[in-house]
């Protein structure tokens, strides 16, 4: 499948400048003649797997309005569903269906670290998950059938959510704009924009979602990691302290020193960047990228590559890199690897692809430094290889 920009006549630079995180955008025929990466039965099959996150939302015919069920499901459960007003949602379809993963290439005008997943929803006639608000950017691509989308860009009051249900559905929703999306049409929505999609007949929608860690998530993750990894505890010190004017006075100098600790001034930018690179490449599922039980030697990898010239990246493994001009660092599934600058081009090649045909790059296949880097990634479970003799 040829990868093209999905923004029609709008350039990616203009989109990022004028729409990204600012206002909705409808793109007619963003993907002309679009063919869904799987059909409804195959999506239902994924929802029956115990390790795949899936949900059913029933607006009607459940124990209560907007009833939520979490997978895995059984074929019998699908056979029992009513003819209308329900939706099946399956997360991370790109990790299981290569054709879905390939779609993500069209959205790489946004940095890789912001990418989350492709969720696919199948809706029966009038199926919906209700008017709601998401805290992330999303592209809603109509894969099959038609869906009516309504949006309201005004801020949503905290008290305007239906109480006592598992979904964040709005009690009051008045659309400002309404569109009917057909296969190949796509709607971009920034965070915080209330929206409501209702299937007009059965159909599927692909949601290309982006992640944005909250301040609480970043601070909490850092605190957990720092406490776990701190080799020798550091403590507040105040040598040369001046005599206090009153014992109960919390003086400005003490407050300043404590604020400096909370602002992490005791850590360098390099240390923080290294931690962020590891955090932002951690696998979404903790047990999805697992190092080999018996690490392969570089010689063993070289021998394996004689038999197997095409390698694939673990679909759950993220690759990012930093280059401060002095040090090149590759972050892979929560690990950091220092890489020599001579491998800058092959490093970017590894980051840009999920399938690696070494016959396309014979000069690298003969480079011991590149094979050493490949060996590290293979042993970490980031790149998959056939270990058979």
């Amino acid at each position: 499948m040829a990868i093209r920009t999905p923004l029609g006549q709008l350039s990616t630079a203009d989109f990022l400048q004028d729409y990204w995180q600012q206002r909705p955008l409808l793109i007619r025929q963003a993907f002309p003649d679009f063919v869904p990466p799987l059909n409804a039965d195959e999506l239902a099959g994924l929802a029956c797997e115990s390790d795949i996150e899936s949900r059913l939302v029933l607006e009607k015919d459940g124990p209560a309005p907007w009833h939520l069920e979490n997978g895995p499901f059984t074929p019998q459960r699908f056979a029992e569903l009513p003819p209308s007003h329900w939706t099946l949602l399956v997360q991370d379809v790109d990790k299981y269906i290569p054709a879905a993963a390939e779609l993500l290439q069209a959205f790489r005008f946004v940095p890789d670290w912001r990418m989350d997943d492709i969720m696919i929803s199948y809706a029966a006639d009038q199926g919906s998950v209700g008017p709601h608000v998401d805290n992330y950017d999303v592209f809603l691509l109509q894969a099959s059938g038609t869906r009516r989308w309504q949006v309201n860009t005004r801020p949503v009051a905290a008290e305007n959510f239906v109480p006592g249900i598992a979904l964040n559905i709005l009690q009051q929703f008045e659309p400002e704009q309404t569109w009917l999306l057909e296969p190949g049409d796509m709607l971009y929505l920034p965070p915080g924009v209330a929206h409501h999609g209702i299937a007009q007949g059965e159909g599927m929608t692909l949601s290309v979602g982006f992640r944005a860690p909250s301040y609480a998530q970043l601070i909490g993750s850092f605190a957990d990691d720092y406490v776990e990894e701190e080799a020798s505890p550091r403590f507040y010190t105040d040598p040369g302290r001046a005599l206090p004017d009153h014992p109960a006075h919390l003086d400005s100098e003490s407050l300043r020193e404590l604020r400096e600790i909370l602002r992490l001034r005791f850590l360098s930018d390099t240390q923080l960047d290294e931690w962020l690179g590891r955090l932002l490449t951690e696998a979404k599922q903790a047990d999805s990228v697992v190092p080999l039980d018996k690490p392969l030697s570089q010689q063993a990898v070289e021998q394996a590559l004689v038999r197997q010239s095409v390698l694939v990246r673990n679909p759950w493994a993220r690759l990012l890199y930093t280059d401060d001009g002095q040090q090149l660092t590759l972050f892979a599934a929560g690990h950091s690897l220092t890489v020599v600058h001579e491998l800058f081009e092959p490093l970017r090649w590894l980051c840009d692809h999920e399938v690696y045909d070494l016959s396309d790059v014979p000069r690298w296949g003969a480079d011991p430094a590149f094979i050493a880097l490949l060996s590290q990634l293979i042993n970490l479970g980031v790149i998959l290889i056939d270990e058979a003799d």
Side-chain angles (χ1 to χ4, degrees):
M1 178 174 63
I3 299 301
R4 56 182 289 277
T5 172
L7 301 176
Q9 300 301 312
L10 187 67
S11 72
T12 53
D14 286 343
F15 169 78
L16 293 173
Q17 178 67 37
D18 298 329
Y19 290 92
W20 178 255
Q21 298 221 316
Q22 299 170 65
R23 52 181 170 145
L25 176 66
L26 174 67
I27 307 106
R28 292 293 184 190
Q29 290 304 288
F31 290 88
D33 303 316
F34 182 73
V35 177
L38 75 177
N39 60 38
D41 289 339
E42 291 167 330
L43 186 70
L46 291 180
C48 294
E49 299 291 333
S50 60
D51 57 345
I52 298 179
E53 182 183 350
S54 58
R55 294 166 289 163
L56 267 174
V57 177
L58 287 83
E59 180 181 355
K60 301 178 179 181
D61 299 305
W66 300 116
H67 174 65
L68 173 68
E69 298 178 18
N70 292 299
F73 301 101
T74 64
Q76 180 63 29
R77 180 66 187 105
F78 291 122
E80 297 168 348
L81 291 170
S84 66
H85 292 88
W86 60 267
T87 302
L88 170 68
L89 307 102
V90 181
Q91 299 288 155
D92 292 297
V93 176
D94 52 293
K95 313 302 191 301
Y96 305 98
I97 306 297
E102 191 175 357
L103 273 174
L104 293 178
Q105 293 293 324
F107 298 90
R108 292 190 73 198
F109 52 88
V110 179
D112 287 351
W113 77 265
R114 291 282 263 115
M115 187 73 70
D116 190 2
D117 74 337
I118 289 182
M119 179 187 75
I120 299 184
S121 63
Y122 169 83
D125 183 36
Q126 300 302 304
S128 169
V129 296
H132 65 284
V133 174
D134 294 320
N135 295 319
Y136 53 84
D137 303 88
V138 64
F139 289 91
L140 301 162
L141 170 61
Q142 194 63 25
S144 65
T146 59
R147 181 180 286 265
R148 184 176 73 247
W149 282 103
Q150 301 171 322
V151 302
N152 187 311
T153 58
R154 293 190 294 271
V156 175
E159 61 272 14
N160 189 22
F161 291 96
V162 177
I165 63 174
L167 300 168
N168 291 324
I169 293 177
L170 302 176
Q171 298 185 76
Q172 303 295 327
F173 175 78
E174 297 182 4
E176 294 176 331
Q177 294 177 289
T178 300
W179 300 287
L180 186 68
L181 269 65
E182 298 182 338
D185 294 342
M186 187 170 70
L187 177 63
Y188 163 73
L189 295 174
V193 171
H195 54 286
H196 188 194
I198 305 172
Q200 309 298 292
E202 65 176 352
M204 284 200 300
T205 301
L206 276 66
S207 300
V208 182
F210 294 78
R211 60 177 181 165
S214 69
Y215 289 10
Q217 289 172 324
L218 283 175
I219 294 169
S221 295
F222 178 82
D224 290 344
D225 288 349
Y226 183 78
V227 169
E228 181 178 338
E229 297 175 8
E230 186 183 32
S232 55
R234 304 184 190 191
F235 296 91
Y236 173 82
T237 60
D238 53 359
R241 163 176 283 286
L243 184 69
D245 59 352
H246 189 278
H249 181 206
L250 185 56
D251 61 277
S252 60
E253 182 61 22
S254 295
L255 288 170
R256 187 190 69 80
E257 292 289 345
L258 291 166
R259 287 196 301 266
E260 292 297 291
I261 295 174
L262 291 175
R263 288 171 178 155
L264 308 179
R265 296 291 171 81
F266 58 93
L267 294 177
S268 68
D269 287 349
T270 299
Q271 290 173 304
L272 284 173
D273 291 349
E274 196 269 345
W275 176 79
L276 284 167
R278 289 189 287 114
L279 174 74
L280 294 174
T281 57
E282 285 182 350
K284 194 173 180 180
Q285 290 188 1
D287 58 351
S288 58
V289 184
V290 180
L292 300 184
D293 291 334
K294 296 181 179 180
L296 300 176
S297 67
Q298 185 169 335
Q299 182 181 9
V301 170
E302 290 175 344
Q303 292 172 350
L305 293 179
V306 174
R307 305 186 305 269
Q308 179 183 356
S309 64
V310 178
L311 307 176
V312 295
R313 190 198 304 181
N314 186 317
W316 293 93
R318 292 180 183 269
L319 295 181
L320 301 171
Y321 74 90
T322 59
D323 182 8
D324 62 7
Q326 297 181 340
Q327 179 171 303
L328 188 62
T329 304
L330 175 65
F331 299 100
H335 302 274
S336 62
L337 307 173
T338 301
V339 180
V340 296
H341 270 278
E342 289 73 18
L343 292 181
F344 180 67
E345 186 180 353
L347 178 149
R348 299 226 302 189
W349 181 74
L350 291 171
C351 291
D352 282 342
H353 297 82
E354 286 77 37
V355 178
Y356 308 113
D357 188 344
L358 296 182
S359 65
D360 291 340
V361 287
R363 66 189 186 281
W364 297 341
D367 184 344
F370 178 67
I371 299 301
L373 177 59
L374 271 186
S375 301
Q376 288 181 286
L377 295 173
I378 289 168
N379 286 326
L380 290 173
V382 171
I383 292 179
L384 306 178
I385 193 170
D386 183 359
E387 298 179 66
D389 293 331

